[in-house]
Structure formats: structure tokens, C-alpha cells
Amino acid sequence: MKIAIIGAGAMGGAIVEGLLKGSYVANDNLIVSDCSEERLQYFSEKGARVTKDNAQAAAEADVVVVVVKPWLVEQVLKGIDTANKTVVLVAAGITSEQLQSWTSPDADLWLAIPNIAASELASMTFLVQVRQKGAYHPKALFDAIGETIMTDEKHLAAGTTLASCGIAYALRYIRAASEGGVELGFKADDAKQIVMQTVLGAVKLLETSGKHPEQLIDQVTTPGGVTIKGLNEMEHAGFTSSVIRGLKAGAK
């Protein structure tokens, strides 16, 4: 099986990075198309096949993953032959109706929203089936670079803000906590390392225990202790409300 990634910017490049690190597809069966000579040289040195010709990349592939800015999607799709291909579109705001109108009626069509953690095989991807005639299911591709949830089209915007934009939200918390650590007396690099490990530990606890976050919070909030005082102060400042409002704003 040959996979073409059309568009190797931040998101497309992250997908390519992940596929090159994993074992889902052989490097010489991964075709990267992009207008940037620098990006193509980078991925060529890592073992992928590269081209500036989108049509050529699509022609040689069984699966075509289009990862370009929304305003370029129509131009890119109409510039390639999608007949009898599996086409996966990664572009916020493009509807299934638009995707179908810009591609061959013989193409299998999917909408996907991964995030940039794909480069570290840790993406959270939302995948929507638009039309499937063949046997191939691209969930396996995205499972190879993280975790995948099958969903419907109306939930893609929510998935985008929760998991794709959510990377930025999580990083903003890490930055804020790191700055707090500096104010508490740690060097900046040490504070960042402490916060990163703490966040990693919280995720591991949730994964292994299967508990609700509040159950684990209860384990570290002793009566009159510093943890509950800190949590309550954050809530007074609107911590939970701010997170929810930010997510809802991103989904509009």
C-alpha cells in the first residue's frame, strides 16, 4: 500500500513524521508532496519519496491524505485524479458535501481531524466516514500515529477544539504552571520539567486506574491542606469556567 500526503506543513508534516517513525507503511511507500523545497529535502533525507507535483503523488498512491489550508482544498482536489482512491481530507470547516463535489464518485471519502502530536505517535484523531466502497479503512493509519475515535460530521468542530486546539490549551497550562514554579523559586528549565512530569503522571494515573479525575483529586486533597486551598483559589479565579468557555468558543 502506498500513501500520499499532500501538504507537509505543521499538521501534514506531523503525520509524515509519525508514519516515518512507526511501522505502518514502508518509507519508500510514503509519498510527500509540498511546494516547499526545504520541507521536501527534510523528508527525503528521512527516507520518504518527495515531489512538488500533487497529481503525480496521488497517481502513485492508494491512499491520498490531503492536508492543506481550507481555502486551497478545492483547488488541490480538483487538480488530482481521485478515482478509485481512498481520500482523507484534513481541513477544518470543509463539509462532506463539498468533499464529494470536488472528487470522483468512485473515491472512498473520509474527513479527519488529528493533532500535531501525530509526530510523536500520540495524536488524538477524529475520523468521519463520508463514503466507503472498498475494503480499506483509514482508521488503521491514524491508529498507527496515536488514537482514533470514529464520529459523525456534526462533532468534528467539537473534536477540533477539544483535541486539536486542546494541545495549545494544555501547553498554555504547562507554561503558566512553569512560570508559577519560577516565582516559587525554581529555575525555568527545572520548573518546566517538574510540570511536564506532573502532567504526565496525572495522565498515567487516569489511564491505569480508570477513575474519574475527581476521585484522584480527592486522594490528594487532605482536609485543610495546601492542595484544596490551591484548587479553591483557582476556582475563585474561574479555572473550570474558563476552560469550558474557551472550548465552546473554539467550537463556534
Side-chain angles (χ1 to χ4, degrees):
M1 181 180 64
K2 295 181 180 180
I3 299 173
I5 309 294
I6 296 180
M11 188 65 255
I15 294 172
V16 176
E17 290 269 15
L19 290 173
L20 288 170
K21 289 178 181 177
S23 57
Y24 182 74
V25 61
N27 288 0
D28 58 359
N29 283 336
L30 183 61
I31 310 159
V32 182
S33 180
D34 196 84
C35 60
S36 168
E37 189 68 47
E38 182 180 356
R39 297 294 283 169
L40 293 182
Q41 182 177 347
Y42 174 79
F43 287 120
S44 176
E45 291 172 355
K46 286 181 170 285
R49 295 166 57 195
V50 301
T51 180
K52 287 187 175 182
D53 187 336
N54 293 341
Q56 177 186 345
E60 295 183 20
D62 305 297
V63 180
V64 181
V65 184
V66 176
V67 198
V68 297
K69 299 298 184 184
W71 57 86
L72 294 174
V73 171
E74 180 178 4
Q75 174 188 335
V76 169
L77 288 175
K78 287 184 175 180
I80 63 177
D81 182 3
T82 58
N84 301 310
K85 306 286 184 181
T86 295
V87 178
V88 182
L89 177 63
V90 180
I94 302 300
T95 67
S96 57
E97 288 78 11
Q98 290 174 307
L99 177 59
Q100 291 177 82
S101 70
W102 298 334
T103 53
S104 167
D106 296 321
D108 283 4
L109 303 176
W110 303 78
L111 296 169
I113 297 293
N115 65 36
I116 60 171
S119 63
E120 301 302 323
L121 310 183
S123 175
M124 179 70 256
T125 300
F126 297 86
L127 185 61
V128 174
Q129 176 184 310
V130 176
R131 181 175 66 223
Q132 183 180 22
K133 297 180 179 180
Y136 178 74
H137 200 302
K139 183 176 184 296
L141 186 160
F142 291 101
D143 282 346
I145 54 174
E147 295 189 11
T148 311
I149 288 180
M150 297 298 304
T151 188
D152 52 42
E153 190 171 354
K154 69 180 181 180
H155 284 95
L156 273 188
T160 300
T161 192
L162 191 59
S164 187
C165 302
I167 287 282
Y169 304 152
L171 291 171
R172 180 57 62 87
Y173 166 78
I174 291 172
R175 190 190 78 172
S178 298
E179 290 177 350
V182 173
E183 189 167 341
L184 291 171
F186 290 100
K187 293 181 179 179
D189 286 345
D190 290 340
K192 184 181 73 171
Q193 184 61 37
I194 291 165
V195 176
M196 288 194 302
Q197 183 59 36
T198 302
V199 171
L200 179 61
V203 171
K204 291 294 185 182
L205 284 169
L206 286 169
E207 287 180 337
T208 57
S209 71
K211 293 181 178 180
H212 189 280
E214 283 300 324
Q215 290 178 282
L216 294 172
I217 289 171
D218 287 344
Q219 292 183 20
V220 293
T221 50
T222 55
V226 295
T227 304
I228 192 61
K229 290 178 181 177
L231 285 171
N232 285 342
E233 190 63 31
M234 291 179 189
E235 289 301 332
H236 289 321
F239 181 81
T240 298
S241 177
S242 294
V243 171
I244 294 171
R245 290 176 65 182
L247 290 169
K248 291 172 71 175
K252 288 181 180 179

